[in-house]
Amino acid sequence: MANPLDTDAGSELFSSYEAELKLVQADLSQKLDQITELSGEERKSAVRLAERTLEEAKELLDQMRIERSNIPSAARSKINQRFRNFESDIDAAKRKLKTLADDRKALFGNRYSDNPSTDDQLEQRQQLLSGTERLDRSSNRLRNAQIMANETEDIGRDTLADLQIQRETIVHTRERMLESEGYVDRSVKTLRGMSRR
């Protein structure tokens, strides 16, 4: 672990990041210790929590790295040593977490094996194959639904184009009808005028 908090050597902001990092490190250490006692889904969940805590620690280190540049040169040597200690601790925790996360037997339980031999392992493999087949069937159904949706969209586009053409035809016919109606009205007036003479 890093040296105790020294308020004379560094800015208040660096010190607050340092105090927060110590809390996160303690939490991370506790989580790493718990992982060794777990297996299966509980272990996977604990590994994910530890990974999030490790990311939080890295973010705090980055903030401390930025703040370190604002510290006067006279106090920076003590700060640099404490910072290196923190980096070393976080790197060690990262390596330990990677080792714990890569332990396949602990992650998957005693049932895991590349060459199934017991009934439980064969049943598990059969369930996985069955799940894969169902997933393939679902994917095919989704693909077919997508094709049908695309075809429906094309039909809808063609129908809209036909309706647009029909609308234009109706508008054009209406305009001609109004024009013809005007001719008929003029013809009627002309005939009335001729009949009065």
Side-chain angles (χ1 to χ4, degrees):
M1 278 288 200
N3 293 336
L5 187 66
D6 183 6
T7 53
D8 295 332
S11 72
E12 288 182 29
L13 192 54
F14 185 89
S15 297
S16 71
Y17 287 143
E18 186 175 11
E20 193 174 344
L21 181 60
K22 286 180 180 184
L23 292 173
V24 170
Q25 274 185 305
D27 186 36
L28 180 60
S29 178
Q30 182 182 8
K31 285 180 175 153
L32 290 174
D33 290 341
Q34 288 173 350
I35 290 173
T36 58
E37 300 165 6
L38 302 173
S39 64
E41 286 301 316
E42 290 178 339
R43 186 180 182 103
K44 288 183 208 175
S45 178
V47 166
R48 284 192 293 272
L49 286 173
E51 286 171 345
R52 278 188 235 132
T53 306
L54 182 63
E55 284 304 312
E56 186 180 348
K58 288 179 184 176
E59 288 173 13
L60 283 168
L61 269 179
D62 290 341
Q63 292 297 326
M64 289 170 70
R65 185 175 288 114
I66 293 168
E67 189 59 30
R68 185 177 59 168
S69 63
N70 297 331
I71 295 173
S73 302
R76 202 173 292 164
S77 63
K78 286 183 181 179
I79 295 291
N80 284 338
Q81 181 58 43
R82 291 189 342 226
F83 185 78
R84 281 192 296 274
N85 288 342
F86 281 122
E87 279 185 319
S88 173
D89 292 345
I90 296 300
D91 285 342
K94 182 179 177 183
R95 285 191 302 275
K96 184 174 180 181
L97 178 59
K98 183 169 177 15
T99 302
L100 292 170
D102 289 344
D103 186 356
R104 296 183 83 160
K105 186 173 182 181
L107 280 174
F108 297 109
N110 291 331
R111 298 183 321 177
Y112 177 78
S113 172
D114 284 333
N115 300 312
S117 57
T118 66
D119 290 339
D120 285 344
Q121 291 171 337
L122 289 172
E123 181 182 335
Q124 184 181 21
R125 181 160 285 194
Q126 198 60 35
Q127 287 175 352
L128 288 172
L129 290 173
S130 174
T132 303
E133 288 172 7
R134 279 196 305 268
L135 185 62
D136 287 342
R137 285 195 303 272
S138 296
S139 296
N140 287 335
R141 280 198 296 271
L142 281 172
R143 202 173 4 265
N144 290 338
Q146 180 68 41
I147 290 169
M148 190 179 299
N150 289 340
E151 289 172 357
T152 304
E153 187 178 336
D154 291 342
I155 291 169
R157 193 177 303 112
D158 293 344
T159 302
L160 283 175
D162 290 345
L163 287 172
Q164 178 66 26
I165 291 168
Q166 290 175 6
R167 181 182 185 279
E168 290 171 1
T169 303
I170 290 170
V171 167
H172 184 68
T173 303
R174 184 171 185 266
E175 288 171 355
R176 284 201 166 189
M177 191 177 76
L178 290 174
E179 188 178 323
S180 299
E181 204 174 285
Y183 289 140
V184 168
D185 285 347
R186 270 189 263 151
S187 299
V188 168
K189 287 180 186 175
T190 304
L191 287 173
R192 283 185 189 153
M194 290 173 59
S195 67
R196 288 183 190 149
R197 290 186 197 161

